[in-house]
Amino acid sequence: MNANQNIAILGSGNIGLSLAKGLVTANICTPGQVILTRRNIEALEKYEEQGYQTTTANLKAVKKADIVVLAVLPQQLNKLLEEIKPAIKSEKQLLISVISGVSCEDIRRQLEVNVQVVRAMPNTAIAIGQSMTCIATDNGTPKNVNLVKSLFNTVGVTIQINEELMTSATALCACGIAFFLRSIRAASQGGTEIGFHAQDALRMAAQTAKGAADLLLQLSSHPEQEIDKVTSPKGCTIAGLNEMEHHGFSSAMIKGIKFSAEKAGELYQEE
């Protein structure tokens, strides 16, 4: 972004606000270049004090913006697009959608204009700059795709995928945060049952999970390679793993991800 450009984030909830803070922290733009919209404008008071532009008027925000981030719920999207349609300038603006289950074509169809749309699917770790964000488009230029990557790289890591995989990305990365948190919670409860105080067990389980993830990311290793390093013949690790598998641990995770992907693909249709 250059100093003359503005970015409007329509629907400034947790994802939108985290993105705004990431952009400013990384010096991609200044607070004054970011327009935040929300129906409950009082929730944006502290951001206004920090220099961000805030408003309840989505149409007004889009008129001033070069980049427009759509960050509302799928059920709210059609009403929002109808509201901002008069302000869309297809030759000058880029739309970024973080909305589950909504294709680039869906957005253009509702707007009735051939504007460039890039989809981004971050997760709630965006709040601490550790999001896994998937990027996809059907008509965005390489320049605009790289721009979107640069925006979301300020709040984590990005990967570009085919658009038909975006619903799957929702299940694996966005919903996946909850799946891994539940597994950490279960591990901490197991820790409490074998003798640790709940607070200590949770800290131990969370750090162990973080270490396991870093082994894969930093060493470019495969999970089974790292599992083999900690399992020994007739040992306690393999005994515990096999007991979990007897009760469907891996199967349950796989089935949950598949079911979430199916549900994610239906969210916009339920509008």
Side-chain angles (χ1 to χ4, degrees):
M1 292 180 62
N2 62 51
N4 298 318
Q5 291 181 307
N6 289 323
I7 179 169
I9 301 176
L10 312 183
S12 298
N14 292 333
I15 296 294
L17 292 176
S18 294
L19 175 61
K21 288 186 284 188
L23 295 177
V24 171
T25 300
N27 295 317
I28 298 292
C29 61
T30 66
Q33 292 176 264
V34 182
I35 310 166
L36 304 173
T37 79
R38 191 164 176 163
R39 286 182 294 186
N40 177 20
I41 195 68
E42 289 79 13
L44 298 177
E45 284 183 359
K46 72 173 184 179
Y47 293 91
E48 185 176 11
E49 293 170 359
Q50 294 170 15
Y52 294 87
Q53 302 180 60
T54 64
T55 180
T56 59
N58 293 308
L59 181 63
K60 176 183 175 183
V62 172
K63 284 181 178 178
K64 298 170 63 178
D66 302 277
I67 302 168
V68 178
V69 180
L70 306 173
V72 298
L73 295 173
Q75 306 92 297
Q76 300 169 335
L77 178 61
N78 285 353
K79 182 179 179 181
L80 173 65
L81 294 178
E82 191 65 30
E83 180 184 354
I84 67 173
K85 185 186 295 186
I88 296 296
K89 300 181 285 290
S90 61
E91 71 283 359
K92 295 182 179 180
Q93 289 175 317
L94 169 66
L95 268 58
I96 302 171
S97 170
V98 299
I99 305 171
S100 299
V102 182
S103 71
C104 299
E105 178 59 31
D106 288 331
I107 292 170
R108 287 196 299 275
R109 187 183 305 114
Q110 289 295 323
L111 289 173
E112 299 179 319
V113 65
N114 191 31
V115 66
Q116 287 192 51
V117 182
V118 178
R119 294 175 64 182
M121 182 50 58
N123 59 37
T124 55
I126 192 174
I128 57 168
Q130 292 293 329
S131 177
M132 178 66 253
T133 302
C134 296
I135 307 290
T137 187
D138 66 348
N139 74 339
T141 64
K143 179 180 179 181
N144 278 335
V145 170
N146 286 332
L147 171 60
V148 175
K149 286 181 180 179
S150 71
L151 299 182
F152 283 90
N153 279 336
T154 67
V155 287
V157 176
T158 61
I159 183 173
Q160 185 176 351
I161 62 175
N162 293 331
E163 191 185 3
E164 59 264 28
L165 290 173
M166 282 299 279
T167 300
S168 299
T170 302
L172 184 59
C173 300
C175 303
I177 282 283
F179 303 154
F180 289 109
L181 287 172
R182 178 58 60 86
S183 68
I184 292 170
R185 173 59 174 154
S188 73
Q189 289 175 313
T192 302
E193 188 164 341
I194 60 176
F196 295 104
H197 291 293
Q199 185 175 358
D200 291 337
L202 179 57
R203 184 181 180 188
M204 293 160 72
Q207 179 58 40
T208 300
K210 183 176 183 294
D214 283 344
L215 278 174
L216 303 183
L217 294 172
Q218 294 182 25
L219 301 180
S220 298
S221 185
H222 188 279
E224 291 305 324
Q225 285 181 279
E226 299 306 323
I227 288 172
D228 287 346
K229 293 176 184 177
V230 75
T231 53
S232 55
K234 295 185 179 181
C236 54
T237 303
I238 193 63
L241 281 174
N242 286 343
E243 184 66 16
M244 292 179 196
E245 291 301 339
H246 291 326
H247 291 278
F249 179 80
S250 294
S251 179
M253 179 75 85
I254 293 166
K255 287 181 178 179
I257 290 171
K258 289 178 66 178
F259 192 76
S260 284
E262 292 170 8
K263 181 65 176 178
E266 299 169 355
L267 293 176
Y268 183 56
Q269 283 69 25
E270 292 177 358
E271 184 270 331

